[in-house]
Structure formats: C-alpha cells, structure tokens
Amino acid sequence: MTDPTPLLRVRELNAWYGEGHALHGIDLDVHEGETVTLLGRNGVGKTTTLRAIMGIIRKRTGSVSFAGRNMMQVPLHRTAHAGMGFVPEERGIFASLSVDENLHLPPVVAKGGMSVKEIYRLFPNLEERRHSPGTKLSGGEQQMLAIARILRTGARLLLLDEPTEGLAPVIVQRIGEVLVTLKKRGMTILLVEQNFRFASKVADRFYVIDHGRVIDDFDAGQLPDRMGRLHEALGV
Amino acid sequence: MARVMTQSLLPRQRAALNAETLLIGLAVLGLIAAPLYFYPVFLMKVLCFALFACAFNLLLGYTGILSFGHAAFFGGAAYFTAHAVKEWGLSPELGILVGVAGAAALGLVIGFLAIRRTGIYSTMITLALAQMFFFFCLQAPFTHGEDGIQGVPRGHLFGLIDLSEPLNMYFFVLAVFLLGLFAIWRIINSPFGMILKSIRENESRAISLGYTVSRYKLAAFVMSAALAGLAGGLKALVFQFATLTDVSWQMSGEVVLMTLLGGIGTLVGPVVGAALVTTLGNYFATSQIPVTLITGGIFMLCVLVFRRGIIGELYASRLGKWLSGERRS
Amino acid sequence: MIFDIPIQAFLGQLLIGLINGSFYAMLSLGLAIIFGLLRVINFAHGAQYMMGAFAGYLLLATFGIGYWPALILAPLIVGLASAVIERLMLSRLYNLDHLYGLLFTFGLALVIEGTFRYYYGSSGQPYAVPSALAGGYNLGFMFLPKYRGWVVLASLLVCLGTWLLIEKTKLGSYLRAATENPTLVRAFGINVPLLLTFTYGLGAGLAGLAGILAAPVYQVSPLMGSNLIIVVFAVVVVGGMGSILGAVITGYLLGLLEGLTKVFYPEASNIVIFVVMAIVLLIRPAGLMGKEA
C-alpha cells in the first residue's frame, strides 16, 4: 500500500497521569481531509489520546508528527500554531467572557479559517447571543461555540472530544450537519465519540481503543461486517 | 501504640532505632554540657525559639495549616507571664502557666476564625488577626507600649530554686524544652496525631471517614498556640522583659523560616533551624548588614531549592535511610 | 457639629481616610490581579510599593528626573524588575502548594527591604510635592491640599483604567480566560507563561505607581510598605480574594471607615479594619464579593 504521508501520524504513544500509565503505545494515522473516529468504552483512553496528541498531557513518550513536523518537544502554546485545534470534552467555554470574546479568544494560526460572518451564518443562535456570558448558553450552543472558535483560527486538524455528549437528538443532528459541512470544506477531523450512530454517519475511518491500545481499525465501508464484534467491544 | 510498633520492628530497624535513640541521648548530654562552652543566655534563647518552632511545626508540619500569626501566641504569652510575675507577684512556674493559658485562649479565638477558610486564605487570616493583636499590645496599658514590660524578676522556682542564677535558669529552660518536645512527640504519635496527619494528607477523605475535621484542626491550633506560649513565657523570664518585637509579624515570619530551614514535619528540624537562625541573628546584629537581608535570602533559597529543609534532606539521604532503618531498594 | 465633633475635624479625617483608601484600593487591586491568575499571595507587594516611591526619589536625586516622568518610569522600573524575578524564580513554584508562593514572596520582601535599609538607612527621605500641585483650595469648611485631591483622582483613574484593561480589551480576555482554565488557553496557542510574567509585572507596577503617588504624602522609607501590606491583606480578605471589583470598593470603604473611627474612637483606628475582617469571616467566609471557594 503506497500511503501518502498522513497529516497526523502517531506512533507508540504512551501517556501517564501521575503514576498511572494510561496509554500503552497508540498507533494511528489521520490523512488530509479525512474524518477519523476513536471508538471505545468509557475510560479506555480516547480522551487521553487526544490530550496526549495535543500535548496537554506532558508525561508522554513515542512520536506525534503533524504535517511532517515532530510535535513531541513543541511547547503547548505553540501546538495550536502548527495547525491543531482542540475542542475539549467539557467544551471549555469561559464564564467570564462573552460569546463574542470566547469566539475571538484563540489566535488565528493560518489563513483559510472562517470569518466571523461565515461562522455566524453557520451558527445563527450564537450571533443573537453574542454579548451574553459564554456559560449562559445552552449545552448545545456551548458546543457550537466551542467548535466555532476553532474554525476561526484556520486550524487544519480539528481534535473533537465527544461533541454530542449530553445533548438532545435535534442538537446532535445539527452538529452532524456542521461536521458534514466542515468535511466538504476539506477539514481534517479526529473525533472521539461514544454515540456510535452519530459517528457512523460522519466518519471515514474508525479506530477501536481498549485499555490504552488500538485493538481494531477499519474503513466506513467495512462497518456492516464489523457490527457484531463492535457491539462486543463497545458493550452497546 | 508506640509499644505495638516496637514489638513489630525488624531487627535491622531495632538497631536503627537504637542508633536514633543514641543520637538523641548524645544531643541531650550535649545540651547539659553546653553551658561550659556557650553563654547560657544565648543557649536559652536558642531553646526558647526551638520550642516555639516545634510548636509551630505541630500545626504546619503535622496538620498542614500554615499560620502566619504565631507571634501573637509567643509574644502574647511573654506579656502575660511578665505581667503575672511582675505585677501580681506570681512564682515563675505559675507565671508561665498564665502565659500558656493566655496563649491557648488566643489560639482558640484566632484558630476558630482561621479554620473557617483553608489553605492560603487561612494563612492570611492568621496574619491579619495577629497584626490586630499587635496593635492591641501597642495600645493596651499593661504592655507599656513601645517600652514593653521591663525588669521582670525571674523569682524562685517552686519557692526553692533561685532562677537568677544563670545555670539554674538554664537547666530549668532545658527541662521545660525537653518536656515540651516530649509532649509534641506524644501528640504526633498518638491516635489524635494520626488523624491530624490524615487531615494534612487529604482533608476531604478525613471528612468522609467521619471525622469532624474542624474540631481536630482547632484542637491542634490551640495545642500549638499553648506550646508557643510556653516558649514565649519562658523567654520573658530568660530576658526579663516582654516587648512588641515578639508579637510583630516579622517574628511570625521568623518562626516559619526556622521550621522551613530545619525541615517541615520533622521532629528535630525546627530545633536545628531555630539554632541556625538565632546564631545568624546574633552574628549580624553587630554588623552593618540588616539581618532581614540574610534571613530573606535564606527564605528564598529554601523555597526554591531545598524545600525539605536540612533535616528533611538528611532523612531523604542515604545516611538518613540507614538511621531510620529503611531498606535500600 | 456632629456628636460634639467639629465639622472641620470630621471632614479632615474623612479626607485622610479617603486618601488611605485610595492606596488600599490600588494595592489590593494589584494583589487581586496577581492572585487571580497566579494564585500567589504577593507578600512583596508592600516592598514593591516602597520600590516605586524610592524609584521616584532616586530618579530625582540621581538624574534630576521630576515627578511627572517618574510617574511613568517608577511603575515601569518596578514592574520590569518584578517580571524578571517572576520569570527566573517565582515561575518555578507554580506546580507546588500555593503556600510556597507566599513564603517566597515573603523572603523577597525581606530581601528588598533589607537591601534598601542597607543603602539608605531606616529613616525617611522627603519627596517634594510637584509645583503644579502645590498649595490647595479653601473649601470654606476645610483646606484641601491640591496634591491630596490629585491622589484621590489618580487612584480612581488607575482603578478604572485597570478595570477597562481587564474587562474590555483582548489582553484582558486572555487574562480572564487564563484565570479560569490556563491549560486550555495555552492549548489555544496563547503563551500563558508569558501572560503570567506580564501579570506579575502589571500587579507589581500598580504597587510601584501607588508608591510614587505616596512619596509626597508620606516619607520615602524602606519600611513604608511593610505594615501597610498586612492591612491590604485584610482588605482583600474582606472584599473576597480574586474579586477585582471587590478589592477596589472595599479598599475605599475601609479607608473611609478607618477615617471615621479616628474621629469617634481613635484608639481603635488601627484595628478597625481587622475587626471588620473578623466579622466578615464569621458571617460570609468567602468575603463580601467573593465566590464560595
């Protein structure tokens, strides 16, 4: 198989929380324009994988290269400038900042990001509430805002942690539409998701994680054949 | 509890315990012989501050509360003892008891307010309340303001022993110091002390185990204040005066330094720290360089590079591991 | 006459209270900014205030630089010097118990004060009121020295300016966000360590500004900040730690209260702020405007 160099290439990634060894050698690739989903049960290390790739967890070994650049020694505040945008599981909307300020907080790191106008066209709710404090938004709106503020920066890779968690089906559908729009624009997405139905609609490829290791990977086309094994692995 | 521990000791640990006991014995012998080589007043000063620092450490090292207001207990007791002995004509031992009781009462009030918050907040509260006490001492008539209480008689211990004799006074101070240290040792090794340590390690777990944490903290606060008062009352008798210096926040800072330098949470660390800081103070008192320049520098150095303090580093070293009987891994 | 107290004395003490309150407000503002982001109780704040006054004094004595340029230069000098100390030393302590930050800055305060005492002795040096602000106004019921009026005005401007910086600027939004979640702000590509250095410099610079403003009112002496800082600690505890607005308002109010106490019960004027602190702790442990922590 002659693979072009992936945008994100992770090899033998180990990570620790204090003394606790959380990741045991994760290998994964995300190609330009691809949407890849990490599947797995609670607490198997999906979020940790994202945080270790981003460099939020500093106690890590192995290699993370992004756009051909070794990211292991890059300080956390330079990671975003390489083109990696992070949307945390808890959304991370700042209570002391207005919606507008939240949106403008992450610095623009590259050309090609959405303008504020485009963003407000994509998320009309946010424009209506641009002056209210960030945490006065509903959960769904907060999730939109968390995604929107990364779109402004021109990041090439979106690290998206459980965007549908705790949200009503209508909102989940809306987020799905947003992701499809982003895919059409050529955005590369690494998604962590428990909601398998949601993930199966947007993802091109899947990795299944268990006990801090990748135990399976397959394309969206292979999905129907894997359902049985997946149900077992995910306990759904 | 101590007996249970001794029974279960491994032979190697028992040997090490003997080594430690031997060292402590030698130290006590050294203190008994010390007046032959040093000025008794200097030694007594060291012992008073050492007891003060150990009392402070009971709170910081074993309960995890940093008080920045311990001067109120130390200096306050000095005033109470001085007043009781000079104006009421009490005997030295009763005078010291008055100081201890006063310090404990102060500790109850300040501690009650301070433990309403945790961590750094409670530190600031102790500091501010002690400063309030400082201003009280500045203005209250019985303290004689800037002059302090001068000419405090040392009197006769139990009506028998003349404490104006320097050596008599020295051995009295030494005895009280050892008694105080023993009390602290008993407290930290008692079941009560174990609970304090568990509060220090993880307060919310101690709460979930069903302990009324605030009551334990307050008890530790009062004990620490009372022992600091013991040191303060003693100091008033040694120097025969009580002044504002001993209730100032600089004094509160100094006892923090002694403990930090010697080793927070070690039994003898504060003693070593107190001896060093007092010696430094004496040395620089006659020089042009303000002593705060030196103590401040040591403070920064301790915080930046050796937070375990002298004794703490020693325990962590190979020699210390051998002394405490820990197996080399 | 109010309760047998001449109106002049009453208003005079109130003015002194307002001036003290102006300094409390500026100092507790800097303290609250530093605490909010760095979680460090800056014990060196009083020493940095003193450095500001000394910077003004030395600029005049050594280079003949007068009050108005010094009003800019002194805070800059203090802020930069403090930023260097943060970068080299204080920044190493952020991962430890917050108590170490307090202990470090306590040591720093001793060193700074000791150094100034070594070179300039403990006695105060006079610093003249700038000629433009000499004299005063006769308000009929009392005499208002121009400089004192200026201090009150300047402190209001400083507090307002700082509030605008934090609430209305991009930099301010970084500060607020980093106070809530520094790791995420860093993951967004903002250099949070640099932001911390800047914030410490800003807080210390505010103390330096208060110092140069104070130089003509009080004498310039190495120990001018050492007792003040503890009163300011009490102000911050009353206002609610980390609440910037709370720190400023409480600063002015407690200054006024102190002035009033001097009129009605002078013996208690030194301790009234601490008494208020104790009462607030009993009723509302988080401080008047603080959130429960």
Side-chain angles (χ1 to χ4, degrees):
Chain A
M1 207 154 142
T2 52
D3 247 2
T5 316
L7 181 63
L8 175 72
R9 183 189 178 92
V10 176
R11 289 292 176 273
E12 269 303 303
L13 185 61
N14 282 261
W16 288 262
Y17 281 115
E19 294 301 305
H21 194 166
L23 299 184
H24 301 264
I26 297 270
D27 292 336
L28 59 87
D29 291 331
V30 182
H31 295 273
E32 187 94 50
E34 215 182 9
T35 296
V36 171
T37 298
L38 305 183
L39 296 169
R41 275 173 296 197
N42 261 333
V44 295
K46 304 187 299 293
T47 294
T48 309
T49 307
L50 283 199
R51 292 169 66 90
I53 290 172
M54 195 64 201
I56 289 172
I57 299 173
R58 300 309 294 185
K59 213 170 170 186
R60 53 178 186 164
T61 62
S63 82
V64 173
S65 63
F66 180 72
R69 179 174 169 202
N70 176 14
M71 301 299 292
M72 291 302 281
Q73 300 309 321
V74 178
L76 178 56
H77 57 266
R78 301 296 314 165
T79 314
H81 292 273
M84 287 161 72
F86 180 59
V87 180
E89 187 177 8
E90 70 286 354
R91 286 154 205 162
I93 301 301
F94 296 98
S96 57
L97 273 65
S98 69
V99 169
D100 221 25
E101 282 176 320
N102 265 291
L103 187 60
H104 284 90
L105 185 74
V108 171
V109 296
K111 283 187 197 145
M114 284 189 187
S115 69
V116 174
K117 213 184 237 172
E118 281 178 282
I119 287 173
Y120 280 146
R121 204 178 306 136
L122 196 60
F123 305 104
N125 298 26
L126 296 183
E127 187 166 22
E128 281 167 34
R129 315 205 48 187
R130 55 189 296 176
H131 297 299
S132 27
T135 44
K136 286 282 190 291
L137 298 180
S138 71
E141 286 168 332
Q142 288 194 28
Q143 186 61 60
M144 306 279 183
L145 179 56
I147 297 173
R149 67 180 168 192
I150 297 303
L151 301 182
R152 215 190 109 257
T153 65
R156 293 168 72 185
L157 171 70
L158 189 61
L159 299 166
L160 196 51
D161 197 351
E162 304 242 11
T164 66
E165 194 184 17
L167 299 181
V170 189
I171 314 281
V172 172
Q173 201 183 342
R174 179 82 190 89
I175 289 175
E177 287 162 22
V178 168
L179 292 191
V180 170
T181 312
L182 293 180
K183 278 180 71 168
K184 283 188 188 140
R185 288 177 61 112
M187 175 70 93
T188 312
I189 301 170
L190 179 57
L191 178 71
V192 161
E193 191 50 73
Q194 297 261 35
N195 184 338
F196 180 67
R197 267 169 51 87
F198 174 82
S200 62
K201 280 179 197 155
V202 292
D204 304 313
R205 230 148 42 74
F206 298 88
Y207 287 96
V208 182
I209 296 186
D210 198 19
H211 290 100
R213 288 185 184 84
V214 172
I215 55 165
D216 198 6
D217 68 280
F218 52 89
D219 292 339
Q222 296 167 274
L223 191 58
D225 307 340
R226 305 281 178 130
M227 286 313 278
R229 268 171 66 188
L230 267 180
H231 278 293
E232 196 178 308
L234 302 179
V236 287
Chain B
M1 187 138 193
R3 194 188 308 152
V4 177
M5 279 174 67
T6 326
Q7 280 173 352
S8 65
L9 288 179
L10 300 166
R12 189 189 154 81
Q13 281 176 321
R14 197 172 297 149
L17 190 77
N18 286 340
E20 205 169 25
T21 319
L22 192 72
L23 279 182
I24 291 172
L26 281 175
V28 172
L29 281 179
L31 283 172
I32 290 171
L36 295 172
Y37 306 98
F38 298 97
Y39 289 114
V41 172
F42 171 73
L43 289 173
M44 288 189 278
K45 187 177 176 184
V46 170
L47 289 177
C48 289
F49 279 114
L51 182 57
F52 181 26
C54 289
F56 168 81
N57 189 40
L58 178 62
L59 199 57
L60 175 62
Y62 296 98
T63 321
I65 300 171
L66 171 59
S67 158
F68 227 107
H70 254 51
F73 313 131
F74 181 70
Y79 275 127
F80 301 145
T81 299
H83 186 76
V85 170
K86 191 182 174 191
E87 304 295 330
W88 300 343
L90 291 188
S91 61
E93 68 278 4
L94 286 179
I96 286 177
L97 277 183
V98 169
V100 170
L106 270 175
L108 190 67
V109 175
I110 294 182
F112 177 75
L113 286 167
I115 62 168
R116 291 180 70 83
R117 299 299 305 267
T118 54
I120 209 150
Y121 298 88
S122 91
T123 300
M124 289 179 69
I125 293 162
T126 56
L127 177 64
L129 291 172
Q131 187 71 356
M132 184 168 141
F133 184 70
F134 172 86
F135 282 119
F136 168 77
C137 291
L138 185 63
Q139 283 165 339
F142 87 97
T143 58
H144 301 282
E146 304 272 354
D147 298 334
I149 305 177
Q150 305 279 349
V152 178
R154 281 181 180 171
H156 287 69
L157 185 65
F158 307 120
L160 295 170
I161 304 165
D162 182 6
L163 292 182
S164 59
E165 274 298 316
L167 275 184
N168 288 355
M169 187 69 201
Y170 175 75
F171 285 110
F172 172 54
V173 171
L174 181 60
V176 174
F177 165 77
L178 290 174
L179 209 68
L181 215 58
F182 177 71
I184 292 171
W185 182 80
R186 283 302 299 262
I187 291 170
I188 59 182
N189 288 303
S190 70
F192 172 76
M194 298 297 160
I195 295 167
L196 291 186
K197 279 179 229 170
S198 76
I199 292 172
R200 178 192 67 184
E201 295 308 324
N202 190 337
E203 186 166 338
S204 39
R205 189 163 59 203
I207 291 172
S208 68
L209 285 173
Y211 294 114
T212 323
V213 165
S214 56
R215 208 171 293 165
Y216 283 95
K217 279 172 143 183
L218 187 57
F221 213 107
V222 173
M223 287 180 196
S224 172
L227 284 160
L230 181 62
L234 212 52
K235 185 179 176 244
L237 288 185
V238 169
F239 287 92
Q240 300 185 275
F241 59 73
T243 64
L244 285 170
T245 314
D246 289 345
V247 285
S248 69
W249 61 266
Q250 287 87 346
M251 181 58 70
S252 294
E254 205 153 295
V255 75
V256 180
L257 177 62
M258 289 169 182
T259 310
L260 182 66
L261 180 62
I264 296 170
T266 62
L267 189 64
V268 289
V271 179
V272 175
L276 280 173
V277 172
T278 313
T279 310
L280 273 176
N282 267 24
Y283 183 78
F284 282 100
T286 51
S287 86
Q288 287 294 308
I289 300 170
V291 69
T292 56
L293 189 59
I294 310 299
T295 49
I298 298 174
F299 231 114
M300 290 166 68
L301 203 69
C302 279
V303 173
L304 284 175
V305 298
F306 71 125
R307 285 179 285 275
R308 281 192 285 223
I310 294 169
I311 296 299
E313 294 289 347
L314 194 69
Y315 278 155
S317 70
R318 188 175 284 188
L319 176 72
K321 290 205 169 115
W322 179 79
L323 279 179
S324 63
E326 210 174 277
R327 278 158 193 274
R328 215 175 300 156
S329 52
Chain C
M1 305 272 272
I2 302 171
F3 303 115
D4 293 334
I5 289 164
I7 189 92
Q8 283 89 343
F10 178 76
L11 290 170
Q13 288 299 346
L14 219 52
L15 176 68
I16 292 176
L18 189 60
I19 287 168
N20 285 339
S22 300
F23 289 114
Y24 295 160
M26 279 187 284
L27 289 171
S28 51
L29 173 65
L31 215 51
I33 290 174
I34 292 174
F35 180 77
L37 190 55
L38 281 69
R39 298 281 135 181
V40 167
I41 300 285
N42 184 29
F43 218 120
H45 217 66
Q48 284 151 347
Y49 161 84
M50 175 273 287
M51 279 169 78
F54 255 98
Y57 167 78
L58 291 174
L59 282 171
L60 186 66
T62 322
F63 303 106
I65 295 173
Y67 176 82
W68 298 105
L71 208 51
I72 310 286
L73 288 174
L76 272 180
I77 293 168
V78 176
L80 282 175
S82 306
V84 169
I85 288 169
E86 191 279 346
R87 203 12 78 106
L88 294 180
M89 295 182 246
L90 189 57
S91 58
R92 295 161 191 271
L93 304 175
Y94 294 149
N95 293 330
L96 305 170
D97 193 316
H98 298 321
L99 295 174
Y100 286 110
L102 174 83
L103 294 179
F104 174 81
T105 52
F106 175 74
L108 180 63
L110 292 183
V111 168
I112 294 173
E113 282 168 1
T115 309
F116 277 85
R117 267 171 65 195
Y118 179 66
Y119 286 107
Y120 303 101
S122 292
S123 59
Q125 320 278 347
Y127 186 88
V129 170
S131 51
L133 296 172
Y137 306 102
N138 195 342
L139 301 179
F141 52 88
M142 65 174 288
F143 180 78
L144 172 69
K146 272 189 199 170
Y147 190 80
R148 307 219 155 180
W150 158 244
V151 165
V152 175
L153 180 71
S155 116
L156 282 170
L157 288 176
V158 167
C159 293
L160 185 69
T162 312
W163 183 80
L164 286 175
L165 172 74
I166 290 169
E167 291 299 325
K168 299 293 168 198
T169 65
K170 182 92 184 184
L171 184 65
S173 71
Y174 288 167
L175 285 180
R176 276 175 285 143
T179 300
E180 284 186 47
N181 188 343
T183 310
L184 186 59
V185 171
R186 226 181 145 186
F188 284 159
I190 295 161
N191 191 339
V192 173
L194 192 65
L195 200 62
L196 296 177
T197 306
F198 167 80
T199 305
Y200 190 71
L202 174 71
L206 279 172
L209 182 58
I212 173 77
L213 277 171
V217 183
Y218 311 109
Q219 298 242 308
V220 178
S221 93
L223 297 176
M224 65 191 283
S226 68
N227 283 327
L228 184 60
I229 184 64
I230 301 178
V231 178
V232 174
F233 278 169
V235 170
V236 177
V237 171
V238 172
M241 210 117 42
S243 161
I244 287 166
L245 199 62
V248 171
I249 294 174
T250 319
Y252 286 114
L253 286 181
L254 289 182
L256 284 173
L257 182 68
E258 202 181 41
L260 282 179
T261 317
K262 269 193 195 118
V263 179
F264 295 107
Y265 190 56
E267 291 81 3
S269 63
N270 279 329
I271 61 167
V272 64
I273 290 181
F274 299 114
V275 173
V276 171
M277 185 196 78
I279 294 170
V280 167
L281 281 173
L282 284 173
I283 301 167
R284 236 186 104 80
L288 291 179
M289 305 185 64
K291 299 180 190 88
E292 277 298 334

